[in-house]
Amino acid sequence: MFRDRFWWSLILSIPVVIFSPMVAHLLGYHLPAFPGSTWIPPVLGTIIFVYGGTPFLKGGWTELKSRQPGMMLLIAMAITVAFVASWVTTLGLGGFDLDFWWELALLVTIMLLGHWLEMRALGAASSALDALAALLPDEAEKVIDGTTRTVAISELVVDDVVLVRAGARVPADGTILDGAAEFDEAMITGESRPVFRDTGDKVVAGTVATDNTVRIRVEATGGDTALAGIQRMVADAQESSSRAQALADRAAALLFWFALISALITAVVWTIIGSPDDAVVRTVTVLVIACPHALGLAIPLVIAISTERAAKSGVLIKDRMALERMRTIDVVLFDKTGTLTEGEHAVTGVAAAVGVTEGELLALAAAAEADSEHPVARAIVAAAAAHPEASRRQIRATGFSAASGRGVRATVDGAEILVGGPNMLREFNLTTPAELTDTTSAWTGRGAGVLHIVRDGQIIGVVAVEDKIRPESRAAVKALQDRGVKVAMITGDAQQVAQAVGQDLGIDEVFAEVLPQDKDTKVTQLQERGLSVAMVGDGVNDAPALARAEVGIAIGAGTDVAMESAGVVLASDDPRAVLSMIELSQASYRKMIQNLIWASGYNIVAVPLAAGVLTPIGILLPPAAAAVLMSLSTIVVALNAQLLRRIDLDPTHLAPTSPKEEHTTPTPASTAVH
């Protein structure tokens, strides 16, 4: 709406300005004269006032009724006064020279531009709640008398039994009655690894059975599901964080009262001293030039340029208030997996039994895992490909089979090879060799996933699989702390795993073993301690916390819901981009304040001059001169905002990593079960 009205008003403003006697006098040219030419400014000016000014007139009326004067009422007052005064002059009533048609046209056009830029900067993102709802399937396979029938999920009730095939989403919360599968719960937990669920385990609506078909007894549907609960938390959090008022509106409210009181004083004083004509001219001039050309552009221009600069640095700003809030952040709360860590498994340790080399061990494990799509399997295959000896061994497996939650089995070079975790050892009554015990104990102690490689019933080695800490994470934490910002981490992982990561990164506070639905509560607890919180996350379970925090920052690789709930989205996975946001926040806030001081300062000086306070010493500001000065103030504000383009927001410059950090050894992040 603002865009369309701006372009049409701009087009109509051009002839209004060209045919304005005041502009012609200022610039020293002769007005084009032809029949009806004198009616061009009033006719087109009226169209601009009605068409372009309607949003401001409606907004001003709303502010007036609510007794909360702000930018809209200030603009509405100025354009209405300019409109009435210009028609009085055009019709020759009272002999006044108050031709403000050109000023009215430019005033409406500039205000439309400012509001269009502001709305565009906010972004037109789809609803976070719609993204959450999209996680649920439209239909479910309901089991009736041993057969399945496709029904809408709205028809499901508690105690129904549904069939969830491999690759399908769970339609409702429930318990597995028959079967076992690994479930991709990334859309709920934000965790990268599939989670094994067996008969009797609970599953959540929206998650995906990745490898097997299971039967589930429905225990919660519709608004009672965990996903619906997250929806409600997101809605509540978004509502609670959207009531802050824009900085320019607060300044406009003060300026409104300043202009109104100044106009009343002007009218009274000039009338008392016996100059009613001057009283009208001075009062109208005061009300017209008090309209915030510069103030109306001060904030939108800064926001527009800031969002553009941020986008080029991989930071997408969705919430205009995030710019103002980020500079006041006391603590940055990072979700661990996929944010401080890479979110992908990697082999971080290899230990072979006596008589077996590391290369042979990796080659056998990789051959057995070659046909598996499991993230752990891909990590082992990648590790073997990168190992000098293992990569030279060209061996293939036959008879591949997988047992969810236990491991894989295959025949390699005539031997039966098993690769799996603790469940596999228990199933086959295997014991880790003594020479490997210390190594595996150290790995499990720090939270790594340990996989055993078995050849013909004998354990021949072990590998550790972990989620690597990003090389940039350490630099991001240190840079934030150097700025006086505390760093906290939140995760659902075990306390020992979380503490190991926290100590390695030097994090100030660690929240471990936090259930998905409790992350929002942790943000609230930090806020109750008087801290202003920025939350960085990537999962659906992060969405309520992102919305609740003063600033929600979503990692771009995360889910759509997390990104919709956040005020800021990082296009990359680099946590150092948070520094870019802080730098931008501080710089843009400085520009906002500078522009507000200039815009308001102009009015504080120009309004008394227009009112005629210096008339006794021969200084009187004509309406034309006041209008020109107002336009100049707008130019100053626009040029000052352009200086934001010179700010360096490159994360590699704001928080450079040391050479050794580019090759960091993996640190425990989450235990892998295979």
Side-chain angles (χ1 to χ4, degrees):
M1 179 192 71
F2 283 111
R3 179 196 62 200
D4 294 343
R5 291 175 189 259
F6 161 71
W7 284 115
W8 281 112
S9 297
L10 178 62
I11 293 171
L12 295 176
S13 295
I14 295 174
V16 173
V17 172
I18 292 175
F19 284 90
S20 170
M22 188 179 293
V23 174
H25 176 72
L26 290 173
L27 299 182
Y29 67 86
H30 294 288
L31 286 175
F34 53 84
S37 61
T38 57
W39 287 99
I40 290 178
V43 171
L44 296 183
T46 299
I47 295 174
I48 292 172
F49 172 76
V50 174
Y51 175 69
T54 295
F56 307 113
L57 295 173
K58 289 182 177 179
W61 178 245
T62 300
E63 291 180 354
L64 188 62
K65 287 193 299 182
S66 63
R67 298 180 181 180
Q68 293 181 334
M71 181 73 74
M72 287 297 190
L73 184 56
L74 190 56
I75 297 171
M77 180 178 66
I79 63 176
T80 301
V81 171
F83 175 74
V84 173
S86 297
W87 264 117
V88 168
T89 301
T90 298
L91 297 176
L93 303 177
F96 298 111
D97 185 14
L98 295 169
D99 183 3
F100 285 114
W101 287 120
W102 74 280
E103 182 58 27
L104 169 65
L106 292 183
L107 178 56
V108 171
T109 301
I110 290 176
M111 291 300 102
L112 287 171
L113 173 61
H115 281 74
W116 172 34
L117 291 175
E118 186 176 17
M119 296 302 169
R120 190 176 65 173
L122 297 180
S126 60
S127 169
L129 303 182
D130 292 339
L132 275 169
L135 292 177
L136 289 176
D138 296 324
E139 298 175 328
E141 291 190 64
K142 182 178 178 180
V143 180
I144 303 175
D145 296 330
T147 62
T148 61
R149 190 180 76 188
T150 301
V151 300
I153 63 169
S154 59
E155 298 179 22
L156 294 177
V157 297
V158 175
D159 290 333
D160 277 350
V161 177
V162 295
L163 185 72
V164 179
R165 301 181 187 275
R169 291 189 184 274
V170 178
D173 291 359
T175 301
I176 298 177
L177 280 182
D178 181 31
E182 291 200 333
F183 284 80
D184 180 1
E185 299 181 350
M187 67 289 300
I188 299 296
T189 66
E191 303 299 323
S192 59
R193 69 187 189 281
V195 178
F196 178 70
R197 301 294 185 197
D198 207 340
T199 301
D201 291 340
K202 293 185 179 297
V203 292
V204 178
T207 57
V208 180
T210 61
D211 55 352
N212 287 322
T213 299
V214 296
R215 292 173 185 250
I216 297 172
R217 176 189 287 120
V218 175
E219 295 182 347
T221 62
D224 297 326
T225 62
L227 195 61
I230 293 177
Q231 283 181 293
R232 286 191 293 271
M233 283 192 289
V234 171
D236 292 343
Q238 285 181 329
E239 182 181 356
S240 68
S241 63
S242 63
R243 295 171 182 166
Q245 191 177 13
L247 189 59
D249 288 337
R250 297 199 293 271
L254 296 175
L255 188 56
F256 168 80
W257 292 113
F258 172 72
L260 186 61
I261 294 172
S262 298
L264 291 175
I265 294 175
T266 300
V268 171
V269 171
W270 281 97
T271 300
I272 290 175
I273 63 177
S275 300
D277 290 346
D278 285 332
V280 174
V281 172
R282 295 292 110 206
T283 300
V284 170
T285 303
V286 165
L287 291 175
V288 172
I289 70 168
C291 185
H293 277 72
L295 189 60
L297 283 178
I299 302 304
L301 269 179
V302 170
I303 292 175
I305 295 174
S306 296
T307 51
E308 177 191 339
R309 289 286 295 110
K312 291 181 178 179
S313 301
V315 179
L316 173 62
I317 298 172
K318 297 174 54 188
D319 180 6
R320 63 178 177 179
M321 296 307 296
L323 277 174
E324 184 178 347
R325 295 187 187 123
M326 195 65 190
R327 67 183 182 86
T328 64
I329 291 301
D330 300 310
V331 57
V332 177
L333 179 62
F334 285 99
D335 178 51
K336 179 179 70 63
T337 305
T339 304
L340 292 176
T341 65
E342 294 181 354
E344 296 181 359
H345 294 96
V347 172
T348 60
V350 180
V354 177
V356 181
T357 65
E358 286 188 5
E360 180 184 5
L361 181 69
L362 278 176
L364 291 171
E369 295 276 20
D371 292 336
S372 174
E373 291 298 321
H374 196 284
V376 170
R378 292 195 293 269
I380 292 176
V381 172
H387 193 280
E389 179 186 348
S391 61
R392 290 197 302 268
R393 291 175 175 263
Q394 300 296 324
I395 53 178
R396 294 185 178 276
T398 58
F400 171 83
S401 65
S404 296
R406 293 182 289 279
V408 301
R409 182 200 308 259
T411 300
V412 183
D413 279 351
E416 184 184 57
I417 302 296
L418 303 176
V419 182
N423 290 335
M424 183 190 71
L425 297 187
R426 286 191 290 269
E427 182 178 344
F428 293 99
N429 295 318
L430 297 174
T431 304
T432 304
E435 67 266 26
L436 300 178
T437 302
D438 290 343
T439 300
T440 56
S441 296
W443 288 346
T444 55
R446 74 186 192 205
V450 179
L451 299 179
H452 297 74
I453 293 85
V454 179
R455 180 169 59 186
D456 290 334
Q458 298 293 321
I459 296 177
I460 61 173
V462 290
V463 296
V465 181
E466 299 174 82
D467 185 4
K468 289 184 178 180
I469 286 179
R470 299 184 188 280
E472 307 86 4
S473 295
R474 190 170 287 101
V477 171
K478 184 178 184 303
L480 285 169
Q481 291 170 336
D482 289 344
R483 290 171 174 259
V485 179
K486 293 183 178 180
V487 180
M489 183 183 76
I490 191 167
T491 178
D493 282 341
Q495 188 72 36
Q496 62 181 21
V497 177
Q499 289 296 340
V501 175
Q503 290 174 6
D504 185 31
L505 292 177
I507 289 174
D508 298 301
E509 188 168 1
V510 174
F511 298 102
E513 301 177 7
V514 179
L515 296 176
Q517 62 268 28
D518 292 337
K519 289 190 175 182
D520 175 50
T521 304
K522 295 300 181 184
V523 173
T524 302
Q525 289 176 2
L526 288 172
Q527 292 171 331
E528 288 174 349
R529 285 156 50 183
L531 299 174
S532 180
V533 182
M535 169 71 187
V536 186
D538 67 341
V540 173
N541 65 298
D542 299 327
L546 289 169
R548 181 74 63 188
E550 276 75 11
V551 179
I553 304 175
I555 291 290
T559 65
D560 291 340
V561 177
M563 290 188 283
E564 296 297 350
S565 303
V568 181
V569 177
L570 305 183
S572 70
D573 295 334
D574 191 344
R576 294 178 300 176
V578 175
L579 273 299
S580 301
M581 183 59 190
I582 293 178
E583 186 74 17
L584 181 64
S585 173
Q586 293 174 340
S588 61
Y589 187 77
R590 285 195 300 269
K591 289 302 175 188
M592 288 181 188
I593 295 300
Q594 290 168 4
N595 281 354
L596 288 174
I597 290 175
W598 176 266
S600 302
Y602 154 78
N603 280 341
I604 291 173
V605 173
V607 166
L609 289 177
V613 295
L614 298 182
T615 301
I617 60 174
I619 299 177
L620 183 64
L621 187 65
V628 171
L629 287 177
M630 184 161 46
S631 299
L632 289 177
S633 71
T634 305
I635 294 173
V636 171
V637 166
L639 292 177
N640 187 46
Q642 295 296 326
L643 296 178
L644 277 173
R645 300 185 186 279
R646 302 192 305 178
I647 298 174
D648 184 6
L649 298 179
D650 189 343
T652 61
H653 297 160
L654 296 175
T657 56
S658 63
K660 68 177 182 179
E661 287 174 336
E662 296 294 345
H663 306 282
T664 52
T665 56
T667 306
S670 59
T671 303
V673 179
H674 182 47

